[in-house]
Amino acid sequence: MMLLYRFVVCFFLFFFITACAQKKDASKAKVMKEEKVLKINGVSLVASGDTLLQQNVMPLKEIGANYATIMPFGFIKSLDHPEIIYNQQRQWFGETTVGVRQYVELLHKNEINIMMKPQIWVWNGEFTGLVEMASEAEWLQLEDSYRNFILDFAKVAEEEKVEIFCIGTELEKFIEHRPEYWRTLIAEVRNVYKGKLTYAANWDEYKRIPFWDALDFIGVDAYFPVSESQTPTIDEVKTGWERWKVELKSVSEKENKKILFAEYGYRSVDFSGKEPWKSDRSMNSVNLEAQSNSLEGLYKALWQEDWFAGGFLWKWFIEHKSVGGLENNQFTPQNKPAQKVVTAFYSQQ
């Protein structure tokens, strides 16, 4: 009888201990799963005059993209002009509110998340960071015009359940002169949009932005110089990123926000890593290896960093089969060796 009693006790003890261990392991696995956050493997999708079709989305799926930037543009006549013109019939379909909705809905159906990024274009092509008004009255007019522009698209972003909204891109002088306006604007955007917010600061501007605390990501247009070589090697690019990694990590820790590359990319030209922001037409060489190595060096240097959220490749055109190619020296990696590099890294997650 005593032997039977001991057997029963041991059986239940074994069952209890095993069940607890399994529960602990399951709990641990759940925590590990929750802690694993996928990188934003994004592309900057260039608007088109046409509707977005399923055949236009498939190449994004094939490279492993899980995010796309939708970029409706507003236009101003000059750097000192206070009125922003947007959502006009003469604009490309993909830049209008109707077009933006169509793009977002189809991308969401394909399980591709969205960052909506309304941007300003100065009609003569000048740098938006230099937009600056000459009087208080003109500043106030610009503020009203920009508020309407941003809030109109923020409402669309909320209605379409867009995951990230970018409140501005490379507007250094505007922020420098009117910092309190931007805090007010952020509060107004949050009243109509409940997703994550960022601002796309230029690579040499982001450390001076005074309102990172009010946003969810530190957005950087990441055209950092990383190599002086005509055809940089992968290791040279990785080394070139070291100083910037220290700086980016420091800002991330200071603000307690992850770094998001709102734009990143390299042209397929000689010296692609020297001044990556340049789109000068006088740079007419074609160097496909320089682009591939620069991108691979960036991925290997940054993509596994905990403080780094991921980024949006500049740039990707809808008509995939007819763009890029082996004779193209612009930013797109489409139909170039660089596309394979992007696919290899984006498809890992």
Side-chain angles (χ1 to χ4, degrees):
M1 188 71 175
M2 182 61 69
L3 187 62
L4 178 61
Y5 174 79
R6 287 179 179 175
F7 174 79
V8 170
V9 170
C10 289
F11 175 81
F12 279 105
L13 265 170
F14 174 78
F15 178 82
F16 178 77
I17 291 169
T18 303
C20 287
Q22 288 174 342
K23 184 176 181 182
K24 185 177 180 182
D25 288 342
S27 177
K28 183 178 179 182
K30 183 179 179 182
V31 170
M32 289 177 66
K33 185 177 180 181
E34 288 175 351
E35 287 179 349
K36 181 175 174 58
V37 178
L38 295 178
K39 296 296 185 189
I40 292 173
N41 297 330
V43 298
S44 299
L45 191 63
V46 180
S48 169
D50 299 319
T51 56
L52 188 67
L53 303 175
Q54 183 62 30
Q55 68 192 42
N56 306 134
V57 179
M58 292 312 299
L60 299 181
K61 302 285 285 183
E62 290 165 5
I63 67 168
N66 57 19
Y67 260 88
T69 303
I70 302 298
M71 299 178 290
F73 274 84
F75 299 87
I76 59 175
K77 293 180 180 178
S78 62
L79 292 171
D80 58 356
H81 190 79
E83 182 184 6
I84 300 168
I85 298 170
Y86 66 97
N87 196 33
Q88 302 291 303
Q89 286 187 346
R90 63 179 179 272
Q91 285 185 245
W92 282 351
F93 176 74
E95 295 179 346
T96 64
T97 55
V98 173
V100 163
R101 288 181 190 276
Q102 193 269 327
Y103 282 25
V104 171
E105 288 169 3
L106 183 56
L107 289 165
H108 272 167
K109 284 180 182 177
N110 282 271
E111 299 182 331
I112 295 176
N113 296 329
I114 307 295
M115 179 168 78
M116 191 179 296
K117 187 166 171 263
Q119 293 185 224
I120 289 177
W121 179 265
V122 185
W123 280 356
N124 55 8
E126 292 185 83
F127 177 47
T128 53
L130 301 177
V131 168
E132 187 174 9
M133 301 299 105
S135 69
E136 178 66 14
E138 288 171 327
W139 273 118
L140 291 172
Q141 188 178 349
L142 175 64
E143 289 176 352
D144 286 342
S145 187
Y146 192 81
R147 179 182 293 107
N148 292 336
F149 173 54
I150 290 298
L151 289 179
D152 279 354
F153 282 105
K155 291 171 185 174
V156 174
E158 175 63 19
E159 291 166 4
E160 297 297 334
K161 305 305 178 189
V162 164
E163 286 76 11
I164 305 174
F165 187 81
C166 184
I167 64 168
T169 298
E170 298 177 7
L171 292 168
E172 184 174 354
K173 290 293 183 182
F174 194 171
I175 291 171
E176 179 185 328
H177 286 281
R178 317 295 283 192
E180 291 308 313
Y181 164 80
W182 286 87
R183 286 195 174 274
T184 301
L185 179 66
I186 291 167
E188 291 173 333
V189 171
R190 289 206 185 274
N191 282 335
V192 300
Y193 172 75
K194 306 308 177 186
K196 301 292 187 182
L197 293 183
T198 191
Y199 164 77
N202 204 17
W203 70 276
D204 58 354
E205 171 199 5
Y206 80 101
K207 290 189 295 180
R208 298 189 297 278
I209 299 302
F211 47 74
W212 289 132
D213 61 297
L215 300 175
D216 299 293
F217 293 106
I218 297 169
V220 183
D221 287 352
Y223 302 109
F224 296 89
V226 291
S227 172
E228 296 280 330
S229 298
Q230 181 175 353
T231 304
T233 66
I234 296 167
D235 285 339
E236 282 175 342
V237 174
K238 286 175 63 180
T239 300
W241 270 105
E242 287 305 312
R243 60 174 288 208
W244 304 118
K245 281 174 63 176
V246 172
E247 181 181 290
L248 288 159
K249 182 181 179 183
S250 175
V251 174
S252 173
E253 290 174 346
K254 176 186 173 185
E255 301 291 347
N256 195 28
K257 313 280 181 184
K258 287 195 174 186
I259 304 290
L260 172 65
F261 282 179
E263 294 177 19
Y264 76 90
Y266 301 94
R267 287 181 61 185
S268 45
V269 293
D270 292 340
F271 303 100
S272 60
K274 185 176 182 179
E275 296 174 309
W277 60 88
K278 279 195 170 182
S279 55
D280 193 334
R281 291 184 181 180
S282 66
M283 299 168 66
N284 53 19
S285 63
V286 176
N287 191 330
L288 301 172
E289 185 181 359
Q291 183 184 42
S292 293
N293 289 352
S294 296
L295 284 170
E296 187 164 351
L298 182 155
Y299 292 137
K300 288 184 174 179
L302 290 167
W303 233 251
Q304 299 306 315
E305 296 291 336
D306 291 338
W307 48 264
F308 182 67
F312 293 89
L313 180 64
W314 186 265
K315 52 192 172 174
W316 192 274
F317 294 90
I318 287 173
E319 292 296 337
H320 176 65
K321 291 182 179 179
S322 62
V323 299
L326 302 183
E327 296 181 359
N328 178 274
N329 66 10
Q330 298 303 309
F331 280 96
T332 181
Q334 289 168 274
N335 303 303
K336 302 178 187 178
Q339 184 178 324
K340 294 182 180 179
V341 174
V342 175
T343 303
F345 277 84
Y346 276 13
S347 298
Q348 286 176 359
Q349 301 184 62

